[in-house]
Coordinates of all heavy atoms in Angstrom, one line a residue:
M1 N 0.8 -1.2 0.0 CA 0.0 0.0 0.0 C 0.9 1.3 0.0 O 0.7 2.2 -0.8 CB -0.9 0.0 1.2 CG -1.9 1.1 1.2 SD -3.0 1.0 -0.2 CE -3.8 2.6 -0.1
K2 N 1.9 1.2 0.9 CA 2.7 2.4 1.0 C 3.4 2.7 -0.3 O 3.6 3.8 -0.8 CB 3.8 2.1 2.1 CG 3.9 3.3 3.0 CD 4.9 3.1 4.1 CE 5.1 4.3 4.9 NZ 6.0 4.1 6.0
K3 N 3.9 1.5 -1.0 CA 4.6 1.7 -2.3 C 3.7 2.3 -3.3 O 4.1 3.2 -4.1 CB 5.0 0.3 -2.8 CG 6.4 0.0 -2.3 CD 7.0 -1.2 -3.1 CE 8.3 -1.5 -2.6 NZ 8.6 -3.0 -2.6
I4 N 2.4 1.9 -3.3 CA 1.5 2.5 -4.3 C 1.3 4.0 -4.0 O 1.4 4.8 -5.0 CB 0.1 1.8 -4.2 CG1 0.3 0.3 -4.6 CG2 -1.0 2.5 -5.1 CD1 -1.0 -0.5 -4.5
L5 N 1.2 4.3 -2.8 CA 1.0 5.8 -2.4 C 2.2 6.6 -2.9 O 2.1 7.7 -3.4 CB 0.9 5.9 -0.9 CG -0.6 5.8 -0.4 CD1 -0.6 5.9 1.1 CD2 -1.5 6.8 -1.1
M6 N 3.4 6.0 -2.7 CA 4.6 6.7 -3.1 C 4.7 6.8 -4.6 O 5.0 7.9 -5.1 CB 5.9 5.9 -2.7 CG 6.2 6.2 -1.2 SD 7.8 5.8 -0.6 CE 8.8 5.7 -2.0
A7 N 4.3 5.8 -5.3 CA 4.3 5.9 -6.8 C 3.3 6.9 -7.3 O 3.6 7.7 -8.2 CB 3.9 4.5 -7.4
V8 N 2.2 7.0 -6.6 CA 1.2 8.0 -7.0 C 1.7 9.4 -6.7 O 1.6 10.3 -7.6 CB -0.2 7.8 -6.2 CG1 -1.1 9.0 -6.4 CG2 -0.9 6.6 -6.7
S9 N 2.4 9.6 -5.6 CA 2.8 11.0 -5.3 C 4.0 11.4 -6.2 O 4.1 12.5 -6.6 CB 3.2 11.1 -3.8 OG 4.2 10.2 -3.5
V10 N 4.8 10.4 -6.6 CA 5.9 10.7 -7.6 C 5.2 11.1 -8.9 O 5.7 12.1 -9.5 CB 6.8 9.5 -7.8 CG1 7.7 9.7 -9.0 CG2 7.6 9.3 -6.5
L11 N 4.2 10.4 -9.3 CA 3.5 10.8 -10.6 C 2.9 12.2 -10.5 O 3.0 12.9 -11.4 CB 2.4 9.8 -10.8 CG 2.7 8.5 -11.6 CD1 1.5 7.6 -11.8 CD2 3.3 8.9 -13.0
V12 N 2.3 12.5 -9.4 CA 1.7 13.8 -9.2 C 2.7 14.9 -9.3 O 2.6 15.9 -10.0 CB 0.9 13.9 -7.9 CG1 0.5 15.3 -7.6 CG2 -0.4 13.0 -7.9
M13 N 3.9 14.6 -8.6 CA 4.9 15.6 -8.6 C 5.5 15.8 -10.0 O 5.8 16.9 -10.5 CB 6.0 15.2 -7.6 CG 5.6 15.6 -6.3 SD 6.8 15.2 -4.9 CE 8.0 14.1 -5.5
A14 N 5.6 14.6 -10.7 CA 6.2 14.7 -12.1 C 5.2 15.5 -13.0 O 5.7 16.3 -13.8 CB 6.3 13.3 -12.6
S15 N 3.9 15.3 -12.9 CA 3.0 16.1 -13.7 C 3.0 17.5 -13.4 O 2.9 18.4 -14.2 CB 1.6 15.5 -13.8 OG 1.1 15.5 -12.5
A16 N 3.1 17.9 -12.1 CA 3.2 19.3 -11.7 C 4.4 19.9 -12.3 O 4.4 21.0 -12.7 CB 3.1 19.4 -10.2
A17 N 5.6 19.2 -12.2 CA 6.8 19.8 -12.8 C 6.6 20.0 -14.3 O 7.1 21.0 -14.8 CB 8.0 18.8 -12.5
G18 N 6.0 19.0 -14.9 CA 5.8 19.1 -16.4 C 5.0 20.4 -16.7 O 5.3 21.0 -17.7
A19 N 4.0 20.8 -15.9 CA 3.2 21.9 -16.2 C 4.1 23.2 -16.2 O 3.9 24.1 -16.9 CB 2.1 22.1 -15.2
E20 N 5.1 23.2 -15.3 CA 6.0 24.4 -15.2 C 7.0 24.5 -16.4 O 7.6 25.5 -16.6 CB 6.7 24.4 -13.9 CG 5.8 25.0 -12.8 CD 6.3 24.7 -11.4 OE1 7.5 24.4 -11.3 OE2 5.6 24.9 -10.4
D21 N 7.2 23.3 -17.0 CA 8.1 23.4 -18.1 C 7.6 24.3 -19.3 O 8.4 24.9 -20.0 CB 8.3 22.0 -18.7 CG 9.2 21.2 -17.8 OD1 9.9 21.8 -16.9 OD2 9.2 19.9 -17.9
R22 N 6.3 24.3 -19.4 CA 5.8 25.1 -20.5 C 5.6 26.5 -20.0 O 5.2 26.8 -18.8 CB 4.4 24.6 -21.0 CG 4.6 23.2 -21.6 CD 3.7 23.0 -22.8 NE 2.3 22.8 -22.4 CZ 1.3 22.7 -23.3 NH1 1.6 22.8 -24.5 NH2 0.1 22.4 -22.9
D23 N 5.8 27.5 -20.9 CA 5.6 28.9 -20.5 C 4.2 29.3 -20.3 O 3.4 29.3 -21.3 CB 6.3 29.7 -21.6 CG 6.3 31.2 -21.2 OD1 5.7 31.6 -20.1 OD2 6.9 32.0 -21.9
L24 N 3.8 29.5 -19.1 CA 2.4 29.8 -18.8 C 1.9 31.0 -19.6 O 0.8 31.1 -20.1 CB 2.2 30.0 -17.3 CG 0.8 29.8 -16.8 CD1 0.4 28.3 -16.9 CD2 0.7 30.3 -15.4
Q25 N 2.7 32.0 -19.6 CA 2.4 33.3 -20.3 C 2.1 33.0 -21.8 O 1.2 33.6 -22.4 CB 3.5 34.3 -20.2 CG 3.5 35.0 -18.8 CD 2.2 35.7 -18.5 OE1 1.6 36.4 -19.4 NE2 1.7 35.5 -17.3
A26 N 2.9 32.2 -22.4 CA 2.7 31.8 -23.8 C 1.4 31.1 -24.0 O 0.7 31.4 -25.0 CB 3.9 31.0 -24.3
L27 N 1.1 30.1 -23.1 CA -0.1 29.4 -23.2 C -1.3 30.4 -23.1 O -2.3 30.3 -23.8 CB -0.2 28.4 -22.1 CG 0.6 27.1 -22.2 CD1 0.3 26.2 -21.0 CD2 0.3 26.4 -23.5
Y28 N -1.2 31.3 -22.1 CA -2.3 32.2 -21.9 C -2.5 33.1 -23.1 O -3.6 33.3 -23.5 CB -1.9 33.1 -20.6 CG -2.8 34.3 -20.4 CD1 -4.1 34.1 -20.1 CD2 -2.3 35.6 -20.7 CE1 -5.0 35.2 -19.9 CE2 -3.2 36.6 -20.5 CZ -4.5 36.5 -20.1 OH -5.3 37.5 -20.0
K29 N -1.4 33.6 -23.7 CA -1.5 34.5 -24.8 C -2.2 33.9 -26.0 O -2.9 34.5 -26.8 CB -0.1 35.0 -25.2 CG 0.4 36.0 -24.2 CD 0.1 37.5 -24.6 CE 0.2 38.5 -23.5 NZ 1.6 38.6 -23.0
K30 N -1.9 32.6 -26.2 CA -2.5 31.9 -27.4 C -3.9 31.3 -27.1 O -4.5 30.8 -28.1 CB -1.5 30.9 -28.0 CG -1.5 29.6 -27.2 CD -0.6 28.6 -28.0 CE -0.3 27.3 -27.3 NZ -1.3 26.3 -27.3
S31 N -4.4 31.4 -25.9 CA -5.7 30.8 -25.7 C -6.6 31.7 -24.9 O -7.3 32.6 -25.5 CB -5.5 29.5 -25.0 OG -4.7 29.6 -23.8
C32 N -6.6 31.6 -23.6 CA -7.5 32.3 -22.7 C -7.5 33.8 -22.9 O -8.6 34.5 -22.8 CB -7.1 32.1 -21.2 SG -6.4 30.5 -20.8
F33 N -6.4 34.4 -23.3 CA -6.2 35.8 -23.5 C -7.3 36.4 -24.4 O -7.8 37.5 -24.2 CB -4.8 36.1 -24.1 CG -4.5 37.5 -24.5 CD1 -4.1 38.4 -23.6 CD2 -4.7 37.9 -25.8 CE1 -3.9 39.7 -24.0 CE2 -4.5 39.2 -26.2 CZ -4.0 40.1 -25.3
A34 N -7.6 35.7 -25.5 CA -8.5 36.1 -26.5 C -9.8 36.6 -25.9 O -10.4 37.6 -26.4 CB -8.7 35.0 -27.6
C35 N -10.3 36.0 -24.9 CA -11.6 36.4 -24.3 C -11.4 37.0 -22.9 O -12.2 37.9 -22.6 CB -12.5 35.2 -24.3 SG -12.8 34.4 -25.9
H36 N -10.5 36.4 -22.2 CA -10.5 36.9 -20.8 C -9.7 38.2 -20.6 O -9.9 38.8 -19.5 CB -9.9 35.7 -19.9 CG -10.9 34.6 -19.7 ND1 -11.7 34.6 -18.6 CD2 -11.1 33.5 -20.4 CE1 -12.5 33.5 -18.7 NE2 -12.1 32.8 -19.8
A37 N -8.9 38.6 -21.5 CA -8.2 39.9 -21.3 C -9.2 41.0 -21.3 O -9.0 42.0 -20.6 CB -7.2 40.0 -22.5
Y38 N -10.2 41.0 -22.1 CA -11.1 42.1 -22.2 C -12.5 41.8 -21.8 O -13.4 42.6 -21.9 CB -11.2 42.6 -23.7 CG -9.8 42.9 -24.2 CD1 -9.2 42.1 -25.1 CD2 -9.1 44.0 -23.7 CE1 -7.9 42.3 -25.5 CE2 -7.8 44.3 -24.1 CZ -7.2 43.4 -25.0 OH -5.9 43.6 -25.4
G39 N -12.7 40.5 -21.3 CA -14.0 40.1 -20.8 C -15.1 40.0 -21.9 O -16.2 40.3 -21.7
A40 N -14.7 39.4 -23.1 CA -15.6 39.2 -24.2 C -16.7 38.3 -23.7 O -16.4 37.3 -23.0 CB -14.8 38.6 -25.3
N41 N -17.9 38.5 -24.1 CA -19.1 37.7 -23.8 C -19.2 37.5 -22.3 O -19.6 36.4 -21.8 CB -19.0 36.3 -24.4 CG -19.3 36.3 -25.9 OD1 -20.1 37.1 -26.3 ND2 -18.7 35.4 -26.6
N42 N -18.9 38.5 -21.5 CA -18.9 38.4 -20.0 C -18.0 37.4 -19.4 O -18.2 36.9 -18.3 CB -20.4 38.0 -19.6 CG -21.3 39.2 -19.7 OD1 -20.8 40.3 -19.5 ND2 -22.5 38.9 -19.9
A43 N -16.9 37.1 -20.1 CA -15.9 36.2 -19.5 C -15.3 37.0 -18.3 O -15.1 38.2 -18.4 CB -14.8 35.9 -20.5
P44 N -15.0 36.4 -17.2 CA -14.4 37.1 -16.1 C -13.0 37.6 -16.5 O -12.2 36.8 -17.1 CB -14.3 36.0 -15.0 CG -14.5 34.7 -15.6 CD -15.3 35.0 -16.9
K45 N -12.7 38.9 -16.3 CA -11.5 39.5 -16.8 C -10.3 39.0 -16.0 O -10.3 38.9 -14.8 CB -11.7 41.0 -16.7 CG -12.0 41.7 -18.0 CD -11.7 43.1 -17.7 CE -12.3 44.1 -18.6 NZ -12.2 45.4 -18.1
T46 N -9.2 38.9 -16.8 CA -7.9 38.6 -16.1 C -7.6 39.7 -15.2 O -7.6 40.9 -15.6 CB -6.8 38.4 -17.2 OG1 -7.2 37.4 -18.1 CG2 -5.5 38.0 -16.6
G47 N -7.3 39.3 -13.9 CA -6.8 40.3 -13.0 C -7.9 41.0 -12.2 O -7.7 41.7 -11.2
A48 N -9.2 40.8 -12.6 CA -10.3 41.4 -11.9 C -10.8 40.4 -10.8 O -11.7 39.6 -11.0 CB -11.5 41.7 -12.9
A49 N -10.1 40.5 -9.7 CA -10.4 39.5 -8.6 C -11.8 39.5 -8.2 O -12.4 38.5 -7.9 CB -9.5 39.9 -7.4
D50 N -12.5 40.7 -8.3 CA -13.9 40.7 -7.9 C -14.8 39.9 -8.8 O -15.8 39.3 -8.4 CB -14.4 42.2 -7.8 CG -14.2 42.9 -9.1 OD1 -13.3 42.6 -9.8 OD2 -15.1 43.8 -9.4
Q51 N -14.4 39.8 -10.1 CA -15.2 39.0 -11.1 C -14.9 37.6 -10.9 O -15.8 36.7 -11.2 CB -14.9 39.5 -12.5 CG -15.4 40.9 -12.8 CD -15.1 41.3 -14.3 OE1 -14.8 40.5 -15.1 NE2 -15.1 42.6 -14.5
W52 N -13.7 37.3 -10.4 CA -13.4 35.8 -10.2 C -13.9 35.3 -8.9 O -14.1 34.1 -8.8 CB -11.9 35.7 -10.3 CG -11.4 35.6 -11.8 CD1 -10.9 36.6 -12.5 CD2 -11.5 34.5 -12.7 NE1 -10.6 36.2 -13.8 CE2 -11.0 34.9 -13.9 CE3 -11.9 33.2 -12.5 CZ2 -10.9 34.1 -15.0 CZ3 -11.8 32.3 -13.6 CH2 -11.3 32.8 -14.8
A53 N -14.1 36.1 -7.9 CA -14.4 35.7 -6.6 C -15.6 34.7 -6.6 O -15.5 33.6 -6.0 CB -14.6 36.8 -5.6
P54 N -16.8 35.1 -7.2 CA -17.9 34.1 -7.2 C -17.6 32.9 -8.0 O -18.2 31.8 -7.7 CB -19.0 34.9 -7.9 CG -18.4 36.1 -8.5 CD -17.1 36.4 -7.9
R55 N -16.7 32.9 -8.9 CA -16.3 31.7 -9.7 C -15.5 30.8 -8.8 O -15.7 29.6 -8.8 CB -15.5 32.1 -10.9 CG -16.1 33.2 -11.7 CD -16.9 32.7 -12.9 NE -17.5 33.8 -13.6 CZ -18.3 33.6 -14.7 NH1 -18.7 32.4 -15.0 NH2 -18.8 34.6 -15.3
L56 N -14.6 31.4 -8.1 CA -13.7 30.6 -7.3 C -14.4 29.9 -6.2 O -14.0 28.8 -5.7 CB -12.6 31.5 -6.7 CG -11.5 32.0 -7.7 CD1 -10.6 33.0 -7.0 CD2 -10.7 30.9 -8.3
E57 N -15.6 30.5 -5.8 CA -16.4 29.8 -4.7 C -16.9 28.5 -5.2 O -17.3 27.6 -4.3 CB -17.6 30.7 -4.4 CG -17.2 31.8 -3.3 CD -18.3 32.8 -3.1 OE1 -19.5 32.5 -3.4 OE2 -18.0 33.9 -2.6
K58 N -17.0 28.2 -6.5 CA -17.4 26.9 -6.9 C -16.4 25.8 -6.7 O -16.7 24.7 -6.8 CB -17.7 26.9 -8.5 CG -18.7 28.0 -8.9 CD -18.8 27.9 -10.4 CE -19.6 29.1 -11.0 NZ -19.7 29.0 -12.4
G59 N -15.2 26.3 -6.4 CA -14.1 25.3 -6.1 C -13.2 25.1 -7.4 O -13.7 25.1 -8.5
M60 N -11.9 25.0 -7.2 CA -11.0 24.9 -8.3 C -11.3 23.7 -9.2 O -11.2 23.8 -10.4 CB -9.6 24.9 -7.7 CG -8.5 24.9 -8.8 SD -8.7 26.2 -10.0 CE -7.9 27.6 -9.2
E61 N -11.7 22.6 -8.6 CA -12.0 21.4 -9.4 C -13.1 21.6 -10.4 O -13.0 21.2 -11.6 CB -12.4 20.2 -8.5 CG -11.3 19.2 -8.3 CD -11.7 18.1 -7.4 OE1 -12.7 17.5 -7.6 OE2 -10.9 18.0 -6.4
T62 N -14.1 22.3 -10.0 CA -15.2 22.7 -10.9 C -14.7 23.6 -12.0 O -15.1 23.4 -13.2 CB -16.4 23.3 -10.1 OG1 -16.7 22.5 -9.0 CG2 -17.6 23.6 -11.0
L63 N -13.9 24.6 -11.6 CA -13.5 25.5 -12.6 C -12.5 24.9 -13.6 O -12.6 25.1 -14.8 CB -12.7 26.7 -11.9 CG -13.6 27.6 -11.0 CD1 -12.8 28.8 -10.5 CD2 -14.8 28.1 -11.8
V64 N -11.7 24.0 -13.2 CA -10.8 23.2 -14.1 C -11.7 22.4 -15.0 O -11.5 22.4 -16.3 CB -9.8 22.3 -13.3 CG1 -9.1 21.3 -14.3 CG2 -8.8 23.2 -12.7
A65 N -12.7 21.7 -14.5 CA -13.6 20.9 -15.3 C -14.4 21.8 -16.3 O -14.5 21.4 -17.5 CB -14.6 20.2 -14.4
H66 N -14.8 23.0 -15.9 CA -15.5 23.9 -16.9 C -14.5 24.4 -17.9 O -14.9 24.6 -19.1 CB -16.1 25.1 -16.1 CG -17.3 24.7 -15.3 ND1 -17.9 25.5 -14.4 CD2 -18.0 23.6 -15.4 CE1 -19.0 24.9 -13.9 NE2 -19.1 23.7 -14.5
A67 N -13.2 24.6 -17.6 CA -12.3 25.1 -18.6 C -12.0 23.9 -19.6 O -12.0 24.2 -20.8 CB -10.9 25.5 -17.9
R68 N -12.0 22.7 -19.1 CA -11.7 21.6 -19.9 C -13.0 21.2 -20.8 O -12.8 20.9 -22.0 CB -11.3 20.4 -19.1 CG -10.8 19.1 -19.8 CD -10.6 18.0 -18.9 NE -11.7 17.7 -18.1 CZ -11.7 17.5 -16.7 NH1 -10.6 17.6 -16.0 NH2 -12.8 17.3 -16.1
D69 N -14.1 21.2 -20.2 CA -15.3 20.7 -20.9 C -16.2 21.8 -21.4 O -17.2 21.5 -22.1 CB -16.2 19.8 -19.9 CG -15.4 18.7 -19.3 OD1 -14.4 18.2 -20.0 OD2 -15.7 18.3 -18.1
G70 N -15.9 23.0 -21.1 CA -16.7 24.2 -21.6 C -17.8 24.5 -20.5 O -18.1 23.7 -19.7
F71 N -18.3 25.7 -20.6 CA -19.3 26.2 -19.7 C -20.0 27.4 -20.3 O -19.4 28.4 -20.6 CB -18.6 26.7 -18.4 CG -19.5 27.2 -17.3 CD1 -20.4 26.4 -16.6 CD2 -19.5 28.6 -17.0 CE1 -21.3 26.9 -15.7 CE2 -20.4 29.1 -16.0 CZ -21.3 28.2 -15.4
N72 N -21.3 27.2 -20.6 CA -22.1 28.2 -21.4 C -21.3 28.6 -22.6 O -21.0 27.8 -23.5 CB -22.4 29.4 -20.5 CG -23.3 29.0 -19.3 OD1 -24.1 28.1 -19.4 ND2 -23.1 29.7 -18.2
T73 N -21.0 29.9 -22.7 CA -20.2 30.4 -23.9 C -18.7 30.2 -23.8 O -18.0 30.6 -24.7 CB -20.6 31.9 -24.2 OG1 -20.5 32.6 -22.9 CG2 -21.9 32.0 -24.8
M74 N -18.3 29.7 -22.7 CA -16.8 29.4 -22.6 C -16.6 28.1 -23.3 O -17.2 27.1 -23.0 CB -16.5 29.2 -21.0 CG -15.3 28.4 -20.7 SD -13.8 29.4 -20.9 CE -12.7 28.0 -21.1
P75 N -15.8 28.1 -24.4 CA -15.6 26.9 -25.2 C -14.8 25.9 -24.5 O -13.9 26.2 -23.8 CB -14.9 27.4 -26.5 CG -14.2 28.7 -26.0 CD -15.0 29.2 -24.9
P76 N -15.1 24.6 -24.8 CA -14.2 23.5 -24.2 C -12.8 23.8 -24.5 O -12.4 24.1 -25.6 CB -14.7 22.2 -24.9 CG -16.1 22.6 -25.4 CD -16.1 24.0 -25.7
K77 N -12.0 23.7 -23.5 CA -10.5 23.8 -23.5 C -10.1 25.2 -23.8 O -8.9 25.5 -23.8 CB -9.9 22.8 -24.5 CG -10.1 21.4 -24.1 CD -9.1 20.5 -24.7 CE -9.1 19.1 -24.1 NZ -8.0 18.9 -23.1
G78 N -11.0 26.2 -24.0 CA -10.6 27.6 -24.1 C -9.5 27.8 -25.1 O -8.7 28.7 -24.9
L79 N -9.5 27.1 -26.2 CA -8.5 27.3 -27.3 C -7.2 26.7 -27.0 O -6.3 26.7 -27.8 CB -8.4 28.7 -27.8 CG -9.6 29.5 -28.2 CD1 -9.2 30.8 -28.7 CD2 -10.3 28.7 -29.3
C80 N -7.0 26.1 -25.8 CA -5.8 25.4 -25.5 C -6.0 23.9 -25.5 O -6.3 23.3 -24.5 CB -5.2 25.8 -24.1 SG -3.6 25.1 -23.8
F81 N -5.9 23.3 -26.7 CA -6.4 22.0 -26.9 C -5.4 20.9 -26.3 O -5.8 19.8 -26.1 CB -6.6 21.7 -28.4 CG -7.6 22.6 -29.0 CD1 -7.3 23.7 -29.7 CD2 -9.0 22.4 -28.7 CE1 -8.3 24.6 -30.2 CE2 -9.9 23.3 -29.1 CZ -9.6 24.4 -29.9
D82 N -4.2 21.3 -26.0 CA -3.3 20.3 -25.4 C -3.0 20.7 -24.0 O -2.0 20.2 -23.4 CB -2.0 20.1 -26.3 CG -1.3 21.5 -26.4 OD1 -1.8 22.5 -26.0 OD2 -0.1 21.4 -26.9
C83 N -3.8 21.6 -23.4 CA -3.5 21.9 -22.0 C -3.9 20.7 -21.1 O -5.0 20.1 -21.3 CB -4.3 23.1 -21.6 SG -3.4 24.7 -21.9
S84 N -3.1 20.5 -20.0 CA -3.5 19.5 -19.0 C -4.3 20.2 -17.9 O -4.4 21.4 -17.9 CB -2.2 19.0 -18.4 OG -1.5 20.0 -17.7
D85 N -4.9 19.4 -17.1 CA -5.7 19.9 -15.9 C -4.8 20.8 -15.1 O -5.2 21.9 -14.6 CB -6.3 18.8 -15.1 CG -7.5 18.2 -15.7 OD1 -7.9 18.6 -16.9 OD2 -8.2 17.3 -15.0
A86 N -3.5 20.4 -14.9 CA -2.6 21.2 -14.1 C -2.4 22.6 -14.7 O -2.3 23.6 -14.0 CB -1.3 20.5 -13.9
E87 N -2.3 22.6 -16.0 CA -2.1 23.9 -16.7 C -3.4 24.7 -16.7 O -3.3 25.9 -16.5 CB -1.7 23.6 -18.2 CG -0.2 23.2 -18.2 CD 0.2 22.6 -19.6 OE1 -0.6 22.1 -20.3 OE2 1.4 22.7 -19.8
F88 N -4.6 24.1 -16.8 CA -5.8 24.9 -16.7 C -5.8 25.5 -15.3 O -6.2 26.7 -15.1 CB -7.0 24.0 -16.9 CG -7.3 23.7 -18.3 CD1 -7.5 22.4 -18.7 CD2 -7.3 24.7 -19.3 CE1 -7.8 22.1 -20.1 CE2 -7.5 24.4 -20.6 CZ -7.8 23.1 -21.0
K89 N -5.5 24.7 -14.3 CA -5.5 25.3 -12.9 C -4.5 26.5 -12.8 O -4.9 27.5 -12.2 CB -5.1 24.1 -11.9 CG -5.0 24.5 -10.5 CD -4.9 23.3 -9.6 CE -4.8 23.6 -8.1 NZ -3.5 24.1 -7.7
A90 N -3.3 26.3 -13.3 CA -2.3 27.4 -13.2 C -2.8 28.6 -14.0 O -2.7 29.8 -13.5 CB -1.0 26.9 -13.8
L91 N -3.5 28.4 -15.1 CA -4.0 29.5 -15.9 C -5.1 30.2 -15.1 O -5.2 31.5 -15.1 CB -4.5 29.1 -17.3 CG -3.4 28.7 -18.3 CD1 -4.0 27.8 -19.4 CD2 -2.7 29.9 -18.8
I92 N -6.0 29.5 -14.5 CA -7.1 30.0 -13.7 C -6.5 30.8 -12.5 O -7.0 31.9 -12.3 CB -8.1 28.9 -13.3 CG1 -8.8 28.3 -14.5 CG2 -9.1 29.5 -12.3 CD1 -9.5 27.0 -14.2
E93 N -5.5 30.3 -11.9 CA -4.9 31.0 -10.7 C -4.3 32.3 -11.2 O -4.5 33.3 -10.6 CB -3.9 30.1 -10.1 CG -4.5 29.0 -9.2 CD -3.5 28.0 -8.7 OE1 -2.4 27.9 -9.2 OE2 -4.0 27.2 -7.8
F94 N -3.6 32.2 -12.4 CA -3.0 33.4 -12.9 C -4.1 34.5 -13.2 O -4.0 35.7 -12.8 CB -2.2 33.1 -14.2 CG -1.9 34.3 -15.0 CD1 -1.0 35.3 -14.6 CD2 -2.6 34.5 -16.2 CE1 -0.7 36.4 -15.3 CE2 -2.3 35.7 -17.0 CZ -1.4 36.6 -16.5
M95 N -5.2 34.1 -13.9 CA -6.2 35.0 -14.3 C -7.0 35.6 -13.1 O -7.5 36.8 -13.2 CB -7.2 34.4 -15.3 CG -6.6 34.1 -16.6 SD -7.8 33.7 -17.9 CE -8.4 32.1 -17.5
S96 N -7.1 34.8 -12.1 CA -8.0 35.3 -11.0 C -7.2 36.1 -9.9 O -7.8 36.6 -9.0 CB -8.7 34.1 -10.3 OG -7.7 33.2 -9.8
E97 N -5.9 36.2 -10.1 CA -5.1 37.0 -9.2 C -5.1 38.5 -9.7 O -5.0 38.7 -10.9 CB -3.7 36.5 -9.2 CG -3.4 35.5 -8.1 CD -2.1 34.8 -8.3 OE1 -1.2 35.4 -9.0 OE2 -1.9 33.7 -7.8
P98 N -5.2 39.4 -8.7 CA -5.1 40.8 -9.2 C -3.7 41.1 -9.8 O -2.7 40.6 -9.4 CB -5.1 41.6 -7.8 CG -5.5 40.6 -6.8 CD -5.2 39.3 -7.3
Q99 N -3.7 41.8 -11.0 CA -2.5 42.1 -11.7 C -2.1 43.5 -11.3 O -2.9 44.4 -11.1 CB -2.7 42.0 -13.2 CG -3.6 41.0 -13.7 CD -2.9 39.6 -13.8 OE1 -1.9 39.5 -14.5 NE2 -3.5 38.6 -13.2
Q100 N -0.8 43.8 -11.4 CA -0.3 45.1 -11.1 C -0.5 46.0 -12.3 O -0.4 45.6 -13.4 CB 1.2 45.2 -10.8 CG 1.7 44.4 -9.7 CD 2.1 43.0 -10.2 OE1 1.8 42.6 -11.4 NE2 2.6 42.2 -9.3
Ligands
HEC1 C1 -13.8 32.2 -26.9 C2 -13.7 32.9 -25.7 C3 -13.0 32.3 -24.5 C4 -11.7 31.7 -24.4 C5 -10.7 31.5 -25.5 C6 -11.5 31.3 -23.0 N1 -12.6 31.6 -22.3 FE1 -13.0 31.1 -20.3 N2 -14.8 32.0 -20.4 C7 -15.4 32.6 -21.5 C8 -16.7 33.1 -21.2 C9 -17.6 33.9 -22.1 C10 -16.9 32.8 -19.8 C11 -18.1 33.1 -19.0 C12 -19.1 31.9 -19.2 C13 -20.3 32.1 -18.3 O1 -20.2 32.4 -17.1 O2 -21.4 32.0 -18.8 C14 -15.7 32.0 -19.4 C15 -15.6 31.5 -18.1 C16 -14.4 30.8 -17.7 C17 -14.3 30.2 -16.4 C18 -15.4 30.3 -15.2 C19 -16.2 29.1 -15.3 C20 -17.2 29.0 -14.2 O3 -17.6 27.9 -13.8 O4 -17.6 30.1 -13.7 C21 -13.1 29.7 -16.3 C22 -12.5 28.9 -15.1 C23 -12.5 29.9 -17.6 N3 -13.3 30.6 -18.4 C24 -11.2 29.5 -17.9 C25 -10.6 29.7 -19.1 C26 -9.2 29.2 -19.4 C27 -8.3 28.5 -18.5 C28 -9.0 29.6 -20.7 C29 -7.7 29.3 -21.5 C30 -7.2 28.0 -21.6 C31 -10.2 30.2 -21.2 N4 -11.1 30.2 -20.2 C32 -10.4 30.7 -22.6 C33 -14.8 32.7 -22.8 C34 -13.5 32.2 -23.1

């Protein structure tokens, strides 16, 4: 049992490290940016923490699922067709943080 747990945590760490290998800003610019930078179709705006607050209340897992599967006018995968769940999470965290 312990061995299985260790294998799982190594896998989780490996996938988290993998997410950081790709440039988050580049991923953002070629996908989420198109709608979230200016709030097209009522998309919560990048850096507008007040617009993200009610979304974040749904829980990160739900938001990652909505980014992956789509949500109303938010298209599935948000134009990032090869993004992993870990990358969606990082992108959501980036967009929901206040920007300077
Ligand atoms: C074509 C435009 C478009 C693109 C590209 C896009 N989004 Fe969205 N997104 C929207 C719109 C519009 C909404 C608001 C949907 C609503 O609340 O009805 C939204 C909402 C969301 C939400 C909130 C979902 C919820 O449950 O409240 C998340 C999370 C999200 N987008 C993540 C992303 C991520 C991550 C990317 C980039 C990988 C991305 N979006 C790219 C249009 C877009």
